[in-house]
Amino acid sequence: MRPTRPTPAVRTGRGARRGGTPVLAALGLAAALALTATACGPGNSVADSKPSASAAASGNDKLQIPDDVKDQLKKHGIDLDKWKNGEWKNWDKDTWLREAKDYVNPVIAGLWDPDRMRKADKPPEKAVPNDISGDKGVTDPTPAPVKAAGVKAPYHQSLPELGKLFFDSPEGSMVCSATVVKDPAHPGKSNMVWTAGHCVHAGAKGGWYRNIAFVPSYNSSDLPMAQLQKATKQQIAPYGVFWADWAQTSQQWIEGGGPTGGQGAPYDFAVLHVTPEKGSNGKSLEETVGGALAVDFNAQAVPKIGAMTANGYPAAPPYDGQKLYQCKDQPGRLSLDASLPTMYRIGCTMTGGSSGGGWIATGSDGKPSLVSNTSIGPVTAGWLAGPRLGKEAKGVYDSVSTKYAGQ
C-alpha cells in the first residue's frame, strides 16, 4: 500500500501510502466517524459531543492534560505520568485502543525532535500485487509508470498545504504524507488535515497509532541528508509541529482495513484536527502556512477528468523520505470487488511514505481541490490508487468540522 502527492502543474493558481501501524493514539479523545450502519453524521451525539481541550506543553515541558481527558484515560487504565515516561510504547493487544470513540493522543513536547523525525522512515502499509483488480468490477488497463518529479524548493512556495505525518506503531516510528484542508466552520482559519486511514489506524487487526503529529512543509528548503543530520528543528519544521488532538476515519477502514488495504481500501481516508505542540499563539494552521485546499466530494468520473496530481514524501527505496515529490497523470479506474466503490488509479513511481498525500485536480467549481489521497500501490512502484471521495468521506469531514465548530 502506498501514498502519493499532487504535482505543481495542477496548482496553476499558485505556481506550479504509505503509513505506519496504530496503537493507543496519544491524547485527544476523538470519536472516529462510523460510516456504515453505525454511521454518525454531524447531528449524531458522538460527533456533536464537545471535544476535550487539546493538550499543551508548558514552558517546563510538563504535559498539560484537561480533566475530561484524564478521566477518559483513567477509564482505560492509562496512567498519564507512566504514559509520558514511555508507557505509550506498550502495544499489548488488550490495551491497544481501536474503537472510533477511543482515540487519545496527548502532546509529548519535544518527542518529535529533528533526529527522530529524520530517522522515521517506515511506511505502515505493504505493497499489493500488480494485478489486484479481481476482475469483478470496472478496471482500466494498468497505467504506465510516471516518474515522480521533485517539487522545487522552497516547497512552501508552491504547495503550502502539503506536509509530512509522523506517528508511532508497534513496528516503530512511521511516516505518511498529509494535506491542510479547509474547515467549513472556520473559514480561513482551519486546523484540519487530510490523510489516509491507514496512517492513523491499523484497521481490522489493530488500533489507533500513537504520537500522531503533522509537520507542514517538512524540509521546505530541500536540504540534502548530510545537512539534515545537523539541521535544527526550525530548518526541518519551519512552520512548527502540530499534534492531532482528534482523528476520525471510516468505520469501513476500522473493520476491514489491513496492511495491503483489504476491503477497507476504498474507504482509506482520515481527517485530523490539530493543535500546535508549543500551544496556541492565536493563529490557526491555515493562517500559519498560508493556505488550505477545498475538498471535492463530487469529483467527476474518470472519463471526464483531465489529470490528477499525487503529492507526498516517499520514504521506501529509492527515496529517503526527506523530499517532496509528485506525479501527474490521467486517472483510470481500479475495482477491487464489484461490491466496493471503484478507486482512482494513476501511474506513479512514488513508494511508501507518500501514503495519505493529497491528490489535486480541478474541482467541480473549477478550482484546485483535494479529490483523493494515496492509499495502495504495488511492490513494483509503478502505480498508486486512492479512494473516490463520496458520502462516507464527507461524513467524516463534516463530523470533525462540526465537533470544533464552537471553538
Side-chain angles (χ1 to χ4, degrees):
M1 201 187 279
R2 83 172 185 269
T4 36
R5 47 203 99 103
T7 38
V10 176
R11 311 298 305 282
T12 52
R14 296 270 187 72
R17 143 192 133 172
R18 300 241 178 195
T21 317
V23 175
L24 300 183
L27 284 163
L29 280 186
L33 182 65
L35 297 173
T36 52
T38 58
C40 18
N44 183 280
S45 59
V46 173
D48 283 342
S49 62
K50 291 295 181 184
S52 55
S54 57
S58 67
N60 60 3
D61 282 349
K62 277 199 170 183
L63 203 58
Q64 303 297 312
I65 308 298
D67 290 339
D68 57 340
V69 176
K70 290 180 181 178
D71 291 342
Q72 183 69 3
L73 291 174
K74 188 179 296 184
K75 185 180 95 174
H76 290 292
I78 301 172
D79 182 282
L80 258 185
D81 291 330
K82 290 181 178 179
W83 180 273
K84 179 184 176 185
N85 291 323
E87 180 61 23
W88 63 263
K89 298 176 184 177
N90 177 6
W91 297 97
D92 187 292
K93 286 287 185 181
D94 293 333
T95 58
W96 190 1
L97 304 182
R98 63 166 273 104
E99 299 304 323
K101 68 182 186 304
D102 292 334
Y103 172 81
V104 292
N105 192 50
V107 175
I108 301 178
L111 179 68
W112 291 110
D113 59 27
D115 190 54
R116 199 164 188 265
M117 283 193 278
R118 190 183 67 253
K119 291 179 179 178
D121 59 1
K122 297 177 183 176
E125 75 285 351
K126 298 185 184 302
V128 300
N130 192 54
D131 182 5
I132 194 179
S133 68
D135 295 325
K136 291 186 178 180
V138 178
T139 293
D140 293 318
T142 301
V146 172
K147 185 176 177 56
V151 175
K152 184 179 180 181
Y155 305 151
H156 181 264
Q157 204 161 58
S158 58
L159 288 170
E161 303 89 354
L162 265 292
K164 195 168 178 178
L165 195 70
F166 296 88
F167 53 101
D168 284 302
S169 78
E171 285 75 40
S173 298
M174 294 194 167
V175 289
C176 272
S177 301
T179 309
V180 183
V181 293
K182 293 183 179 297
D183 179 357
H186 297 98
K189 297 184 178 183
S190 175
N191 284 305
M192 289 169 59
V193 174
W194 192 283
T195 189
H198 76 264
C199 296
V200 299
H201 193 287
K205 295 185 178 181
W208 292 104
Y209 292 120
R210 298 168 183 169
N211 303 325
I212 302 173
F214 175 66
V215 177
S217 296
Y218 175 82
N219 189 24
S220 183
S221 299
D222 194 15
L223 297 177
M225 183 60 82
Q227 291 184 43
L228 280 174
Q229 292 176 345
K230 301 178 181 179
T232 64
K233 194 166 185 176
Q234 175 63 31
Q235 290 175 302
I236 289 180
Y239 296 91
V241 177
F242 293 77
W243 284 65
D245 55 359
W246 195 264
Q248 293 189 200
T249 185
S250 68
Q251 193 65 21
Q252 289 94 329
W253 176 260
I254 290 176
E255 295 178 355
T260 58
Q263 298 288 294
Y267 304 96
D268 185 14
F269 43 75
V271 178
L272 312 177
H273 183 276
V274 300
T275 187
E277 179 178 85
K278 293 184 177 180
S280 176
N281 61 0
K283 292 178 67 175
S284 67
L285 172 61
E286 181 177 0
E287 291 171 303
T288 299
V289 303
L293 282 175
V295 183
D296 192 346
F297 299 101
N298 297 295
Q300 295 180 316
V302 163
K304 296 183 179 180
I305 297 179
M308 286 183 175
T309 301
N311 305 266
Y313 285 84
Y319 307 97
D320 62 10
Q322 307 306 315
K323 299 175 183 292
L324 179 60
Y325 286 84
Q326 48 189 203
C327 292
K328 182 179 181 180
D329 194 21
Q330 169 80 38
R333 294 165 291 187
L334 174 64
S335 176
L336 304 181
D337 187 281
S339 66
L340 298 173
T342 300
M343 301 177 73
Y344 292 123
R345 181 165 64 167
I346 63 171
C348 185
T349 61
M350 284 198 290
T351 60
S354 60
S355 281
W359 292 25
I360 299 175
T362 301
S364 51
D365 62 357
K367 299 178 181 178
S369 300
L370 185 143
V371 295
S372 187
N373 58 261
T374 298
S375 175
I376 57 175
V379 68
T380 52
W383 56 262
L384 295 173
R388 186 173 181 185
L389 308 181
K391 63 180 181 180
E392 295 86 2
K394 191 174 188 304
V396 171
Y397 175 78
D398 286 345
S399 184
V400 176
S401 176
T402 300
K403 190 171 195 64
Y404 289 85
Q407 299 184 33

